[in-house]
Amino acid sequence: MPEGTRAETNAGAAGRKPMTTTKLRSMKAKGDPITVVTAYDYPSAQLAEAAGAEVLLVGDSLGNVVQGRETTLSVTLDHIVYHTEIVSRASKTAFVVADLPFATYHGGVDATLANVARVIREGGAKGVKLEGGREILPAVTAAVSAGVPVMGHLGLTPQSVHAIGGYKVQGKQSAAAAKLLDDALRLEEAGAFALVLELVTDELAAAITERLSIPTIGIGSGPRCDGQVLVFHDILQYGLDPWPKKFVKTYANVGAVVKDAIAAYVRDVKQRSFPEERHTFHMEESELPPVYGGGNGGVRTGGEGEES
Ligand code: KIV
Protein backbone atom coordinates (compact mmCIF):
# COMPACT_ATOMS: atom_id res chain seq x y z
CA MET A 1 0.00 0.00 0.00
CA PRO A 2 1.37 3.45 -0.84
CA GLU A 3 3.02 5.49 1.91
CA GLY A 4 1.06 7.78 4.21
CA THR A 5 -1.97 5.53 4.50
CA ARG A 6 -4.88 6.46 6.74
CA ALA A 7 -6.52 3.09 6.11
CA GLU A 8 -6.14 2.08 9.76
CA THR A 9 -8.85 4.66 10.54
CA ASN A 10 -11.39 2.63 8.55
CA ALA A 11 -13.14 1.17 11.57
CA GLY A 12 -15.82 -0.49 9.46
CA ALA A 13 -13.28 -2.92 8.09
CA ALA A 14 -11.91 -3.80 11.51
CA GLY A 15 -11.64 -7.52 12.11
CA ARG A 16 -11.94 -8.48 8.47
CA LYS A 17 -9.00 -10.13 6.76
CA PRO A 18 -7.81 -8.77 3.41
CA MET A 19 -9.77 -10.15 0.45
CA THR A 20 -7.83 -12.28 -2.01
CA THR A 21 -8.50 -13.90 -5.38
CA THR A 22 -8.43 -17.31 -3.66
CA LYS A 23 -11.14 -16.23 -1.24
CA LEU A 24 -13.24 -14.84 -4.08
CA ARG A 25 -13.04 -18.17 -5.84
CA SER A 26 -14.00 -20.07 -2.71
CA MET A 27 -16.94 -17.69 -2.22
CA LYS A 28 -18.20 -18.83 -5.62
CA ALA A 29 -17.74 -22.47 -4.63
CA LYS A 30 -19.72 -21.89 -1.42
CA GLY A 31 -22.44 -19.89 -3.16
CA ASP A 32 -21.58 -16.80 -1.09
CA PRO A 33 -22.47 -13.75 -3.24
CA ILE A 34 -19.59 -11.37 -3.94
CA THR A 35 -20.20 -7.63 -3.58
CA VAL A 36 -18.36 -5.14 -5.74
CA VAL A 37 -18.83 -1.36 -5.64
CA THR A 38 -17.03 1.27 -7.65
CA ALA A 39 -15.01 3.84 -5.73
CA TYR A 40 -13.09 6.85 -6.95
CA ASP A 41 -12.00 8.82 -3.89
CA TYR A 42 -11.19 8.51 -0.19
CA PRO A 43 -14.70 8.79 1.28
CA SER A 44 -16.34 6.57 -1.34
CA ALA A 45 -13.73 3.85 -0.75
CA GLN A 46 -13.93 4.13 3.03
CA LEU A 47 -17.72 4.03 3.04
CA ALA A 48 -18.05 1.16 0.55
CA GLU A 49 -15.53 -0.93 2.46
CA ALA A 50 -17.05 -0.12 5.85
CA ALA A 51 -20.43 -1.17 4.41
CA GLY A 52 -19.00 -4.58 3.59
CA ALA A 53 -18.07 -4.48 -0.11
CA GLU A 54 -15.43 -7.11 -0.75
CA VAL A 55 -14.06 -5.63 -3.97
CA LEU A 56 -13.63 -1.93 -4.80
CA LEU A 57 -13.48 -1.19 -8.50
CA VAL A 58 -11.85 2.02 -9.66
CA GLY A 59 -13.94 1.95 -12.79
CA ASP A 60 -13.48 4.13 -15.83
CA SER A 61 -17.14 4.94 -15.16
CA LEU A 62 -15.42 7.80 -13.34
CA GLY A 63 -15.58 9.44 -16.77
CA ASN A 64 -19.38 9.46 -16.43
CA VAL A 65 -20.05 9.99 -12.75
CA VAL A 66 -17.02 12.03 -11.64
CA GLN A 67 -16.06 13.89 -14.83
CA GLY A 68 -19.61 14.26 -16.19
CA ARG A 69 -18.89 12.83 -19.65
CA GLU A 70 -21.18 10.83 -21.94
CA THR A 71 -18.73 7.95 -22.35
CA THR A 72 -15.68 6.46 -20.62
CA LEU A 73 -13.46 7.08 -23.64
CA SER A 74 -11.81 10.25 -22.35
CA VAL A 75 -10.53 8.57 -19.20
CA THR A 76 -6.74 8.34 -19.28
CA LEU A 77 -4.23 6.14 -17.51
CA ASP A 78 -3.18 9.16 -15.43
CA HIS A 79 -6.78 9.62 -14.24
CA ILE A 80 -7.01 5.96 -13.25
CA VAL A 81 -3.64 5.98 -11.47
CA TYR A 82 -4.62 9.15 -9.59
CA HIS A 83 -7.96 7.76 -8.36
CA THR A 84 -6.58 4.28 -7.69
CA GLU A 85 -3.85 5.61 -5.43
CA ILE A 86 -6.50 7.36 -3.33
CA VAL A 87 -8.83 4.35 -3.18
CA SER A 88 -5.97 1.95 -2.33
CA ARG A 89 -4.90 4.24 0.50
CA ALA A 90 -8.43 4.34 1.92
CA SER A 91 -8.93 0.60 1.66
CA LYS A 92 -7.75 -1.78 4.34
CA THR A 93 -9.28 -5.12 3.45
CA ALA A 94 -11.11 -4.81 0.14
CA PHE A 95 -9.55 -6.15 -3.05
CA VAL A 96 -8.91 -3.03 -5.15
CA VAL A 97 -9.22 -3.52 -8.90
CA ALA A 98 -8.53 -0.72 -11.37
CA ASP A 99 -9.84 -0.44 -14.91
CA LEU A 100 -7.28 -0.19 -17.67
CA PRO A 101 -8.78 2.66 -19.71
CA PHE A 102 -9.52 2.81 -23.42
CA ALA A 103 -6.61 1.91 -25.74
CA THR A 104 -4.10 1.21 -22.97
CA TYR A 105 -3.87 -2.55 -23.57
CA HIS A 106 -4.02 -2.84 -27.34
CA GLY A 107 -0.55 -1.58 -28.23
CA GLY A 108 1.37 -4.81 -27.71
CA VAL A 109 2.51 -6.71 -24.67
CA ASP A 110 5.32 -4.33 -23.65
CA ALA A 111 3.12 -1.24 -23.72
CA THR A 112 0.35 -3.11 -21.89
CA LEU A 113 2.73 -4.27 -19.17
CA ALA A 114 4.11 -0.75 -18.74
CA ASN A 115 0.55 0.52 -18.21
CA VAL A 116 -0.38 -2.33 -15.87
CA ALA A 117 2.79 -1.63 -13.88
CA ARG A 118 1.77 2.00 -13.33
CA VAL A 119 -1.64 1.01 -12.01
CA ILE A 120 -0.11 -1.54 -9.64
CA ARG A 121 3.03 0.36 -8.60
CA GLU A 122 1.77 3.95 -8.46
CA GLY A 123 -1.91 3.22 -7.89
CA GLY A 124 -1.49 0.39 -5.39
CA ALA A 125 -4.21 -1.70 -7.10
CA LYS A 126 -4.23 -5.44 -6.48
CA GLY A 127 -5.70 -6.27 -9.86
CA VAL A 128 -6.72 -4.78 -13.19
CA LYS A 129 -9.85 -5.06 -15.32
CA LEU A 130 -9.76 -5.23 -19.10
CA GLU A 131 -12.72 -5.15 -21.49
CA GLY A 132 -13.06 -7.65 -24.31
CA GLY A 133 -12.79 -11.29 -25.33
CA ARG A 134 -10.48 -13.23 -27.63
CA GLU A 135 -8.94 -10.05 -29.09
CA ILE A 136 -7.37 -9.08 -25.76
CA LEU A 137 -6.05 -12.50 -24.74
CA PRO A 138 -2.38 -11.52 -25.33
CA ALA A 139 -2.79 -8.60 -22.92
CA VAL A 140 -4.52 -10.81 -20.34
CA THR A 141 -1.83 -13.47 -20.61
CA ALA A 142 0.94 -10.88 -20.29
CA ALA A 143 -0.55 -9.32 -17.15
CA VAL A 144 -1.25 -12.73 -15.59
CA SER A 145 2.33 -13.89 -16.35
CA ALA A 146 3.59 -10.77 -14.61
CA GLY A 147 1.69 -11.89 -11.51
CA VAL A 148 -1.16 -9.41 -11.83
CA PRO A 149 -4.70 -10.63 -11.14
CA VAL A 150 -6.91 -9.85 -14.14
CA MET A 151 -10.65 -9.35 -14.10
CA GLY A 152 -12.31 -9.79 -17.49
CA HIS A 153 -15.29 -7.77 -18.73
CA LEU A 154 -17.70 -9.08 -21.38
CA GLY A 155 -21.11 -8.15 -22.73
CA LEU A 156 -21.67 -4.44 -23.00
CA THR A 157 -18.13 -3.12 -22.97
CA PRO A 158 -18.45 0.68 -22.66
CA GLN A 159 -15.03 1.37 -24.20
CA SER A 160 -16.45 -0.05 -27.48
CA VAL A 161 -19.78 1.74 -27.23
CA HIS A 162 -19.51 3.32 -30.70
CA ALA A 163 -18.62 0.00 -32.33
CA ILE A 164 -21.48 -1.71 -30.49
CA GLY A 165 -23.89 1.07 -31.46
CA GLY A 166 -25.10 2.13 -28.02
CA TYR A 167 -25.66 0.87 -24.49
CA LYS A 168 -27.68 -2.23 -25.46
CA VAL A 169 -28.23 -5.65 -23.93
CA GLN A 170 -25.76 -8.13 -25.44
CA GLY A 171 -25.98 -11.81 -26.36
CA LYS A 172 -29.70 -11.95 -27.08
CA GLN A 173 -29.27 -14.11 -30.20
CA SER A 174 -27.81 -17.61 -29.98
CA ALA A 175 -24.75 -16.91 -32.17
CA ALA A 176 -23.77 -13.84 -30.15
CA ALA A 177 -24.44 -15.71 -26.91
CA ALA A 178 -22.26 -18.65 -28.03
CA LYS A 179 -19.42 -16.24 -28.87
CA LEU A 180 -19.65 -14.60 -25.47
CA LEU A 181 -19.63 -17.99 -23.74
CA ASP A 182 -16.56 -18.99 -25.75
CA ASP A 183 -14.84 -15.68 -24.88
CA ALA A 184 -15.62 -16.26 -21.21
CA LEU A 185 -14.01 -19.72 -21.33
CA ARG A 186 -10.95 -18.33 -23.10
CA LEU A 187 -10.53 -15.56 -20.51
CA GLU A 188 -10.71 -18.13 -17.73
CA GLU A 189 -8.15 -20.28 -19.51
CA ALA A 190 -5.86 -17.25 -19.93
CA GLY A 191 -5.87 -16.88 -16.13
CA ALA A 192 -8.53 -14.26 -15.34
CA PHE A 193 -9.60 -14.51 -11.68
CA ALA A 194 -13.11 -13.13 -12.21
CA LEU A 195 -15.35 -11.90 -15.00
CA VAL A 196 -17.69 -8.93 -15.14
CA LEU A 197 -20.79 -9.56 -17.26
CA GLU A 198 -22.41 -6.26 -18.20
CA LEU A 199 -25.88 -6.09 -19.72
CA VAL A 200 -26.19 -9.67 -20.87
CA THR A 201 -29.38 -11.68 -20.61
CA ASP A 202 -30.09 -13.62 -17.45
CA GLU A 203 -30.04 -16.90 -19.38
CA LEU A 204 -26.59 -16.28 -20.84
CA ALA A 205 -25.18 -14.97 -17.54
CA ALA A 206 -26.46 -18.13 -15.79
CA ALA A 207 -24.91 -20.38 -18.45
CA ILE A 208 -21.53 -18.62 -18.24
CA THR A 209 -21.64 -18.69 -14.44
CA GLU A 210 -22.34 -22.41 -14.52
CA ARG A 211 -19.53 -23.20 -16.96
CA LEU A 212 -16.79 -21.13 -15.29
CA SER A 213 -14.96 -21.94 -12.09
CA ILE A 214 -13.98 -18.28 -11.63
CA PRO A 215 -16.67 -15.96 -10.24
CA THR A 216 -18.89 -13.92 -12.53
CA ILE A 217 -19.82 -10.42 -11.37
CA GLY A 218 -22.98 -9.11 -12.98
CA ILE A 219 -24.23 -5.65 -13.73
CA GLY A 220 -27.57 -5.60 -15.50
CA SER A 221 -27.15 -9.36 -16.05
CA GLY A 222 -29.71 -10.80 -13.67
CA PRO A 223 -29.49 -12.50 -10.28
CA ARG A 224 -27.68 -15.69 -11.26
CA CYS A 225 -24.12 -14.34 -11.37
CA ASP A 226 -21.75 -15.13 -8.50
CA GLY A 227 -21.67 -11.49 -7.46
CA GLN A 228 -22.94 -8.06 -8.40
CA VAL A 229 -21.33 -4.72 -9.10
CA LEU A 230 -22.95 -1.31 -9.08
CA VAL A 231 -21.61 2.18 -9.55
CA PHE A 232 -21.34 4.09 -6.25
CA HIS A 233 -23.23 7.11 -7.56
CA ASP A 234 -26.02 4.91 -8.93
CA ILE A 235 -26.61 3.14 -5.60
CA LEU A 236 -26.84 6.51 -3.89
CA GLN A 237 -28.41 8.67 -6.60
CA TYR A 238 -25.50 11.01 -5.97
CA GLY A 239 -25.82 13.88 -8.43
CA LEU A 240 -28.64 15.60 -10.23
CA ASP A 241 -28.85 13.58 -13.43
CA PRO A 242 -31.93 11.34 -13.71
CA TRP A 243 -31.49 7.64 -12.89
CA PRO A 244 -33.45 5.83 -15.59
CA LYS A 245 -31.39 2.62 -15.71
CA LYS A 246 -33.58 -0.47 -15.41
CA PHE A 247 -30.83 -2.57 -13.85
CA VAL A 248 -29.96 -0.11 -11.09
CA LYS A 249 -31.57 -0.13 -7.67
CA THR A 250 -31.05 3.15 -5.86
CA TYR A 251 -30.86 2.73 -2.10
CA ALA A 252 -30.81 6.39 -1.12
CA ASN A 253 -31.25 9.82 -2.61
CA VAL A 254 -27.99 11.33 -1.49
CA GLY A 255 -28.18 13.95 -4.26
CA ALA A 256 -31.33 15.40 -2.70
CA VAL A 257 -29.81 15.29 0.81
CA VAL A 258 -26.64 17.06 -0.35
CA LYS A 259 -28.58 19.67 -2.33
CA ASP A 260 -30.93 20.43 0.58
CA ALA A 261 -28.02 20.71 3.03
CA ILE A 262 -26.07 23.07 0.78
CA ALA A 263 -29.22 25.12 0.09
CA ALA A 264 -29.67 25.50 3.87
CA TYR A 265 -26.06 26.68 4.18
CA VAL A 266 -26.51 29.17 1.32
CA ARG A 267 -29.71 30.46 2.97
CA ASP A 268 -27.98 30.84 6.35
CA VAL A 269 -25.09 32.80 4.83
CA LYS A 270 -27.47 35.06 2.89
CA GLN A 271 -29.48 35.70 6.08
CA ARG A 272 -26.30 36.16 8.15
CA SER A 273 -27.44 33.39 10.47
CA PHE A 274 -24.20 31.47 9.87
CA PRO A 275 -21.60 31.65 11.33
CA GLU A 276 -22.99 31.94 14.85
CA GLU A 277 -21.15 32.95 18.00
CA ARG A 278 -20.28 29.28 18.66
CA HIS A 279 -18.44 29.06 15.34
CA THR A 280 -16.44 32.26 15.97
CA PHE A 281 -12.97 32.94 17.42
CA HIS A 282 -11.97 36.15 19.27
CA MET A 283 -8.88 38.06 20.29
CA GLU A 284 -8.01 38.93 23.88
CA GLU A 285 -9.18 42.47 24.67
CA SER A 286 -5.58 43.52 25.48
CA GLU A 287 -4.55 42.67 21.91
CA LEU A 288 -7.23 44.83 20.33
CA PRO A 289 -5.87 48.40 20.38
CA PRO A 290 -3.47 48.05 17.44
CA VAL A 291 -6.20 46.41 15.40
CA TYR A 292 -8.96 48.89 16.21
CA GLY A 293 -6.82 51.97 16.73
CA GLY A 294 -7.29 52.16 20.49
CA GLY A 295 -10.89 51.03 20.97
CA ASN A 296 -12.45 47.76 20.22
CA GLY A 297 -15.19 49.33 18.13
CA GLY A 298 -17.82 47.54 20.15
CA VAL A 299 -16.51 44.20 18.96
CA ARG A 300 -17.28 41.32 21.38
CA THR A 301 -14.30 39.50 22.79
CA GLY A 302 -13.90 36.06 24.38
CA GLY A 303 -16.33 33.22 23.93
CA GLU A 304 -16.78 29.50 24.15
CA GLY A 305 -14.74 27.18 22.00
CA GLU A 306 -11.93 29.76 21.89
CA GLU A 307 -8.68 28.37 20.52
CA SER A 308 -5.26 29.89 20.84
O1 KIV B 1 -16.26 1.30 -15.06
C1 KIV B 1 -17.01 0.67 -14.32
O2 KIV B 1 -17.52 1.16 -13.32
C2 KIV B 1 -17.30 -0.71 -14.68
C3 KIV B 1 -18.41 -1.40 -13.96
C4 KIV B 1 -19.71 -0.83 -14.31
C5 KIV B 1 -18.36 -2.87 -14.16
O3 KIV B 1 -16.67 -1.25 -15.54
Side-chain angles (χ1 to χ4, degrees), residues 81-95:
V81 168
Y82 173 83
H83 287 276
T84 303
E85 188 279 326
I86 295 168
V87 168
S88 301
R89 210 155 21 86
S91 157
K92 192 174 185 185
T93 59
F95 194 84

Side-chain angles (χ1 to χ4, degrees), residues 22-305:
T22 316
K23 279 190 204 159
L24 291 169
R25 210 175 170 119
S26 76
M27 284 173 79
K28 172 178 177 120
K30 288 190 216 144
D32 184 4
I34 296 164
T35 52
V36 184
V37 180
T38 67
Y40 315 99
D41 57 19
Y42 205 86
S44 63
Q46 268 191 323
L47 290 167
E49 177 170 281
E54 284 119 355
V55 178
L56 299 182
L57 172 64
V58 186
D60 60 1
S61 52
L62 74 87
N64 309 110
V65 296
V66 176
Q67 299 174 341
R69 300 190 191 276
E70 286 295 318
T71 74
T72 60
L73 298 175
S74 56
V75 175
T76 66
L77 192 67
D78 283 344
H79 295 156
I80 289 287
V81 168
Y82 173 83
H83 287 276
T84 303
E85 188 279 326
I86 295 168
V87 168
S88 301
R89 210 155 21 86
S91 157
K92 192 174 185 185
T93 59
F95 194 84
V96 175
V97 176
D99 262 338
L100 282 192
F102 171 66
T104 59
Y105 47 100
H106 302 87
V109 164
D110 290 349
T112 298
L113 276 181
N115 294 336
V116 169
R118 283 201 60 202
V119 172
I120 302 292
R121 235 185 239 140
E122 297 172 42
K126 292 183 177 158
V128 293
K129 177 164 78 60
L130 281 65
E131 294 183 6
R134 60 202 68 185
E135 68 286 357
I136 61 146
L137 289 179
V140 173
T141 308
V144 170
S145 338
V148 176
V150 171
M151 182 180 262
H153 184 155
L154 289 174
L156 188 277
T157 44
Q159 292 172 14
S160 315
V161 63
H162 299 310
I164 292 170
Y167 295 96
K168 305 185 228 178
V169 177
Q170 301 296 301
K172 280 177 142 178
Q173 313 301 329
S174 58
K179 182 171 181 286
L180 283 169
L181 174 57
D182 186 54
D183 278 345
L185 291 165
R186 290 186 196 213
L187 285 167
E188 174 171 85
E189 201 178 315
F193 76 91
L195 176 63
V196 167
L197 294 174
E198 179 163 357
L199 276 187
V200 307
T201 59
D202 171 54
E203 294 77 10
L204 176 59
I208 293 175
T209 302
E210 171 80 29
R211 292 285 299 278
L212 297 188
S213 49
I214 57 170
T216 58
I217 309 294
I219 174 161
S221 299
R224 292 192 277 171
C225 295
D226 297 306
Q228 298 290 327
V229 54
L230 277 180
V231 167
F232 185 88
H233 294 57
D234 286 350
I235 296 173
L236 298 174
Q237 216 168 315
Y238 183 28
L240 280 183
D241 291 338
W243 261 262
K245 297 171 199 156
K246 175 179 160 77
F247 59 88
V248 166
K249 179 171 175 185
T250 52
Y251 288 82
N253 191 344
V254 165
V257 171
V258 169
K259 184 168 158 259
D260 288 351
I262 294 176
Y265 158 73
V266 169
R267 199 175 50 239
D268 278 359
V269 171
K270 293 285 183 198
Q271 293 172 348
R272 296 196 182 281
S273 53
F274 174 81
E276 299 164 37
E277 180 56 30
R278 66 198 165 105
H279 306 123
T280 306
F281 305 97
H282 294 285
M283 295 169 70
E284 291 296 329
E285 201 149 349
S286 57
E287 303 292 335
L288 284 173
V291 179
Y292 288 105
N296 76 0
V299 176
R300 251 202 84 178
T301 59
E304 269 178 53

